[in-house]
């Protein structure tokens, strides 16, 4: 079975541009998590969904960040406008349900210049 | 506020040696303590996890030791191998939602 799929794997953009990161969870999983990893702050949970509904977005750093899950097989994390401090690796993870093991995707390395 | 403190930041061990990574937590409501392993360019992968009702859990060469009164837990890797070279993260969560709070990570290098 395919694991969590993220695209793109690498994204380089200029400050002020809109960035959209994409995630396809493992089929049959109904919980989805977005994380951000930086050297300074480590791994941080940004938001998580259960059955396509955002449950907790308290980790979203500011209004420039938004996440959607229009169906069980697709989620997006959007940053508009992007800033250099948004440069990080963004991971998507999914689990069978809340409380079960989370499987991480390979991540998207975002660089904002 | 760092709720899970991890040490050391980096660790170098000879092949066959024991690698020990420590974590301490503050929130007594945490009830699930997993360890994740991350290789360069990959996402973290669950290695082993423990709940506070046991003091130790062993899976192959990997053991978690848990001290509830001290609010500390540690990962022991026995007979460390070069293939174990990776970054290890401890984490903690509470409640059914399993929202993970991660430690800062330990970069382990096992020398051949």
């Amino acid at each position: 079975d395919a694991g969590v799929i993220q695209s793109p794997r690498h994204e380089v953009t200029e400050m002020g541009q809109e960035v959209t990161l994409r995630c396809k969870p493992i089929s049959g999983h109904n919980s989805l998590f977005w994380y951000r990893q930086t050297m300074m702050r480590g791994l941080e949970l940004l938001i998580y969904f259960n059955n396509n509904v955002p449950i907790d977005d308290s980790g979203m750093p500011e209004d420039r960040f938004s996440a959607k899950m229009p169906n069980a097989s697709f989620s997006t994390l959007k940053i508009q406008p992007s800033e250099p401090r948004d440069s990080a690796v963004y991971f998507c993870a999914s689990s069978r349900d809340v409380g079960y093991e989370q499987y991480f995707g390979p991540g998207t390395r975002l660089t904002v210049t | 506020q760092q709720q899970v403190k991890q040490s050391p930041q980096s660790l170098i061990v000879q092949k066959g040696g024991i690698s020990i990574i420590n974590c301490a937590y503050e929130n007594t409501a945490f009830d699930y303590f997993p360890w994740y392993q991350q290789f360069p360019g990959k996402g973290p992968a669950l290695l082993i996890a423990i709940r506070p009702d046991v003091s130790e859990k062993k899976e192959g060469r990997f053991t978690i030791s848990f001290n509830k009164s001290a609010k500390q837990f540690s990962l022991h890797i026995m007979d460390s191998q070069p293939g174990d070279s990776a970054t290890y993260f401890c984490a903690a969560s509470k409640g059914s939602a399993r929202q993970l709070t991660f430690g800062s990570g330990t970069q382990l290098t096992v020398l051949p």
Side-chain angles (χ1 to χ4, degrees):
Chain A
D1 287 340
V4 175
I5 299 172
Q6 291 187 247
S7 64
R9 293 294 312 277
H10 302 273
E11 176 81 31
V12 180
T13 191
E14 293 183 348
M15 181 175 62
Q17 296 298 307
E18 177 180 295
V19 175
T20 300
L21 311 181
R22 297 173 175 79
C23 175
K24 177 178 170 57
I26 294 172
S27 177
H29 284 192
N30 63 10
S31 293
L32 184 139
F33 305 78
W34 282 101
Y35 291 88
R36 178 172 67 176
Q37 185 175 40
T38 62
M39 290 296 293
M40 289 297 295
R41 300 178 66 87
L43 266 164
E44 303 173 281
L45 176 65
L46 300 178
I47 185 171
Y48 85 94
F49 296 82
N50 187 240
N51 292 322
N52 311 336
V53 176
I55 303 300
D56 187 346
D57 65 354
S58 59
M60 296 285 263
E62 47 196 280
D63 292 345
R64 298 184 297 106
F65 286 69
S66 62
K68 294 183 179 180
M69 192 165 186
N71 57 63
S73 59
F74 184 66
S75 176
T76 60
L77 178 68
K78 185 176 293 186
I79 308 172
Q80 166 63 20
S82 58
E83 297 182 3
R85 60 195 170 112
D86 301 330
S87 297
V89 180
Y90 291 82
F91 288 102
C92 174
S94 72
S95 68
R96 184 153 58 99
D97 202 341
V98 289
Y100 289 83
E101 176 183 352
Q102 295 179 29
Y103 293 83
F104 283 74
T108 295
R109 180 173 295 277
L110 172 65
T111 303
V112 183
T113 60
Chain B
Q1 180 184 2
Q2 187 179 7
Q3 295 193 55
V4 179
K5 295 183 179 180
Q6 183 172 345
S7 63
Q9 187 175 4
S10 62
L11 180 63
I12 300 175
V13 175
Q14 293 285 341
K15 178 182 176 181
I18 302 174
S19 303
I20 301 174
I21 304 171
N22 301 300
C23 284
Y25 62 96
E26 300 169 2
N27 190 339
T28 56
F30 285 144
D31 60 3
Y32 176 70
F33 302 89
W35 284 89
Y36 281 80
Q37 179 188 55
Q38 185 179 26
F39 292 104
K42 305 290 186 182
L46 180 66
L47 190 62
I48 187 173
I50 197 169
R51 298 180 189 276
D53 53 346
V54 296
S55 60
E56 185 175 283
K57 182 174 182 179
K58 183 177 180 179
E59 290 185 1
R61 297 185 293 108
F62 301 91
T63 300
I64 299 179
S65 296
F66 186 83
N67 185 329
K68 188 175 182 178
S69 61
K71 294 187 287 186
Q72 296 175 347
F73 58 110
S74 60
L75 176 69
H76 296 236
I77 306 174
M78 310 300 289
D79 188 26
S80 300
Q81 299 295 313
D84 298 330
S85 297
T87 301
Y88 293 81
F89 294 91
C90 62
S93 71
K94 57 180 169 57
S96 60
R98 291 287 176 258
Q99 293 171 253
L100 296 171
T101 299
F102 283 89
S104 55
T106 296
Q107 186 168 352
L108 172 65
T109 302
V110 181
L111 301 176

